[in-house]
Amino acid sequence: MAGNLEGQITSARARRAVPLANSTPMASRFDPRLSTFRMPAPLGPLRFSAPGPTSVPRDDSDIAFAPVTQLSAWIASGALTSRRLTEIYLARIEALGPKLECLAMVTPELARAEADAADALLRAGVNLGPLHGIPYGLKDLFDTKGIVTGWGAEPFRERVPENDATIVRKLRAAGAVLLGKTTVGALAYNDIWYGGRTRNPWNLNEGSSGSSAGSASATAAGLCAFAIGTETLGSITSPSQRCGTTGLRPTFGRVSRAGGMALCWSLDKVGPICRSVEDTAIVLAALNGPDLADRSSIDAPFHFDANADFAGMRLGYLPEAFGEGANAVDHAALEAVRRLGIEVVEVSLPDLPYGSLMNILYAEAAAAFEELTLTDLDDTLTWQDEGAWPNTFRKARFLSAVDHVQLDRLRYQVMLALDGLFSQVDALIGPFMTGPMLIASNFTGHPCLHLRAGFLDVGTRSDASLGEGKLTTGEPDAAGPTFRVPQGISIWGRLFEEGSILNLGMALEREFGVAALRPGLPS
């Protein structure tokens, strides 16, 4: 064997000499569909709820916290202009943004110009849809032409793209107004970025979790109508849990990632972070669609009817997810489902080493940012402890290539396992980080809706962690003061069937009755 090693080393060095941009995809691509999968048929036009009150509140904060469904109706009727709504959010950003450290870049002049253009179209009788004139925040992983897109990391803080990401073009075509770039934990990990630490609006002593840290924080604090997040392994659901927002992680491949920073080509997903369930459906409708610029893009219909009946739905839960570690809000959420008259059944998953799949994430992430490791630019990242990216990238160099292939085969076994589970039930409910579902469903590409279910009184929590092959939400300080903070619940659905979990989520949102509560931020 020793005589053969030199050739292998030479080949590796030759490959390293070829520069590979972050935008260069892998030749192989992940597809969540098994051979037996059948794409759901289109079921007619999208149907959203009827608009609420026609009169606009006098208090700007009541306008700022209104759901997109209501804001859209006010703008369409002429009761509210996009320019006024944009100014309300810009004022809140100026007042609260520095406290929350949730905006990496604010684009006020662009926002005003886009708002004025939206108002002009309406005066001309042109309405581009439910996002027409609605201001939003964009996670600072997505390219915006001529605007710094720094990925939250020191080596890229001066990076200015020459083109817009696909989803930026889609949102502009839908009439949405870009307020600025929301913060992202450096290279899509946690809530620490080159400008500081993004804060949880419900407790400014703790971070907002990540990596869609700024998107969740800004949305929860009423600094935008909605925001865009991404998830590789918890980056939509975790900050939504911490900040009390509603996050929708769509099926892998449904939304284009072209023009977005790649962390893990076979795992990255793009989705909305909002303050209500139906708002996530509105945003997903604008983002949905195939894109030749993303090799993993899948052409799939998106059906949503706000008034659809979920009678006959069979909802599963994993008993261990509601055992040790579950709290009162978790158990109350399960009881709320039963009150809706839905059949709730126990289910199980095969005993597989789901946590081992995280080595796939580590390997892909290390490959995406190999240049940082090989040039020592990783030393410039602020966060340097044992669980942060620099050391994770370094240790990934010691993963066995053979084991990596075997992990891919294990991933297929997990795909079969979840396919079997969803052949028994229409959806699954549970705490988002209890049991194997956060890891398993991210690696299989299944969609997940996370929504606020209640509140807990807990001490300031430590950092969430993805280290050592385990996931934690952070431990509360048992000795210090307590804070009333949101607690959410997750609903997982079948591939490309987001509509059914959104309908269930809307019903639970009404049952919980806590979605409209706001954080008591200092002025």
Side-chain angles (χ1 to χ4, degrees), residues 44-335:
L46 297 167
R47 293 187 177 91
F48 300 109
S49 297
T54 56
S55 59
V56 178
R58 294 181 180 179
D59 191 324
D60 283 354
S61 64
D62 292 336
I63 298 173
F65 278 95
V68 171
T69 48
Q70 185 63 73
L71 294 172
S72 179
W74 286 332
I75 289 175
S77 70
L80 177 68
T81 64
S82 176
R83 178 60 180 261
R84 181 185 173 197
L85 181 59
T86 298
E87 294 292 357
I88 289 172
Y89 284 131
L90 288 174
R92 292 183 64 83
I93 288 171
E94 184 177 5
L96 298 172
K99 294 182 176 69
L100 296 169
E101 301 179 60
C102 61
L103 273 297
M105 171 72 67
V106 185
T107 54
E109 295 312 312
L110 174 63
R112 292 182 178 111
E114 291 186 346
D116 289 345
D119 289 335
L121 283 175
L122 283 177
R123 289 193 297 270
V126 178
N127 188 327
L128 299 175
L131 292 184
H132 189 115
I134 304 296
Y136 76 101
L138 178 68
K139 185 174 181 178
D140 196 34
L141 292 186
F142 291 101
D143 285 353
T144 40
K145 182 179 180 180
I147 301 169
V148 170
T149 302
W151 301 348
E154 286 80 355
F156 306 101
R157 63 186 303 168
E158 305 298 331
R159 180 180 173 275
V160 180
E162 296 180 357
N163 299 290
D164 288 323
T166 295
I167 65 164
V168 174
R169 296 197 299 270
K170 281 178 172 281
L171 288 168
R172 185 181 299 121
V177 173
L178 178 63
L179 292 166
K181 311 297 286 293
T182 55
T183 55
V184 52
L187 306 180
Y189 187 17
N190 220 319
D191 48 31
I192 296 175
W193 60 293
Y194 55 73
R197 158 166 265 153
T198 305
R199 304 290 168 174
N200 175 11
W202 300 87
N203 176 6
L204 296 178
N205 300 301
E206 66 184 15
S208 65
S209 184
S211 67
S212 303
S215 291
S217 179
T219 302
L223 307 191
C224 55
F226 71 92
I228 300 299
T230 65
E231 175 151 328
T232 303
L233 193 71
S235 287
I236 288 175
T237 51
S238 184
S240 289
Q241 163 80 351
R242 182 65 67 94
C243 297
T245 49
T246 301
L248 176 61
R249 185 191 79 213
T251 305
F252 179 88
R254 181 183 279 286
V255 179
S256 172
R257 305 164 304 174
M261 185 202 87
L263 180 66
C264 298
W265 295 274
S266 75
L267 281 162
D268 297 343
K269 298 160 285 284
V270 182
I273 294 178
C274 303
R275 288 186 293 271
S276 78
V277 173
E278 188 170 2
D279 285 1
T280 67
I282 291 174
V283 179
L284 181 58
L287 299 179
N288 184 58
D291 182 13
L292 292 176
D294 181 349
R295 282 179 51 80
S296 295
S297 177
I298 296 172
D299 188 358
F302 172 57
H303 176 72
F304 176 76
D305 182 349
N307 300 311
D309 186 359
F310 52 80
M313 173 179 274
R314 186 176 167 88
L315 185 68
Y317 74 96
L318 298 170
E320 63 269 28
F322 291 89
E324 185 179 356
N327 56 53
V329 174
D330 298 329
H331 291 291
L334 199 56
E335 290 306 310

Side-chain angles (χ1 to χ4, degrees), residues 229-437:
T230 65
E231 175 151 328
T232 303
L233 193 71
S235 287
I236 288 175
T237 51
S238 184
S240 289
Q241 163 80 351
R242 182 65 67 94
C243 297
T245 49
T246 301
L248 176 61
R249 185 191 79 213
T251 305
F252 179 88
R254 181 183 279 286
V255 179
S256 172
R257 305 164 304 174
M261 185 202 87
L263 180 66
C264 298
W265 295 274
S266 75
L267 281 162
D268 297 343
K269 298 160 285 284
V270 182
I273 294 178
C274 303
R275 288 186 293 271
S276 78
V277 173
E278 188 170 2
D279 285 1
T280 67
I282 291 174
V283 179
L284 181 58
L287 299 179
N288 184 58
D291 182 13
L292 292 176
D294 181 349
R295 282 179 51 80
S296 295
S297 177
I298 296 172
D299 188 358
F302 172 57
H303 176 72
F304 176 76
D305 182 349
N307 300 311
D309 186 359
F310 52 80
M313 173 179 274
R314 186 176 167 88
L315 185 68
Y317 74 96
L318 298 170
E320 63 269 28
F322 291 89
E324 185 179 356
N327 56 53
V329 174
D330 298 329
H331 291 291
L334 199 56
E335 290 306 310
V337 172
R338 293 191 172 101
R339 288 197 300 272
L340 294 173
I342 295 173
E343 182 183 5
V344 182
V345 297
E346 290 188 12
V347 291
S348 62
L349 283 169
D351 184 16
L352 295 170
Y354 298 97
S356 297
L357 292 174
M358 289 178 65
N359 279 335
I360 296 176
L361 184 159
Y362 299 149
E364 287 193 35
F369 293 100
E370 179 183 62
E371 182 184 7
L372 297 187
T373 304
L374 298 184
T375 63
D376 292 332
L377 272 174
D378 55 359
D379 288 338
T380 66
L381 293 173
T382 298
W383 196 6
Q384 289 284 341
D385 68 21
E386 65 276 5
W389 273 148
N391 283 319
T392 299
F393 293 162
R394 293 163 191 153
K395 74 177 183 181
R397 314 293 301 188
F398 297 94
L399 291 171
S400 159
V402 175
D403 283 337
H404 195 70
V405 172
Q406 300 299 65
L407 283 171
D408 198 50
R409 300 174 75 191
L410 172 63
R411 187 175 190 172
Y412 183 76
Q413 292 298 117
V414 175
M415 292 169 69
L416 292 173
L418 263 64
D419 186 64
L421 185 151
F422 284 111
S423 69
Q424 303 172 51
V425 294
D426 300 296
L428 186 80
I429 190 169
F432 90 105
M433 206 180 265
T434 303
M437 278 305 292

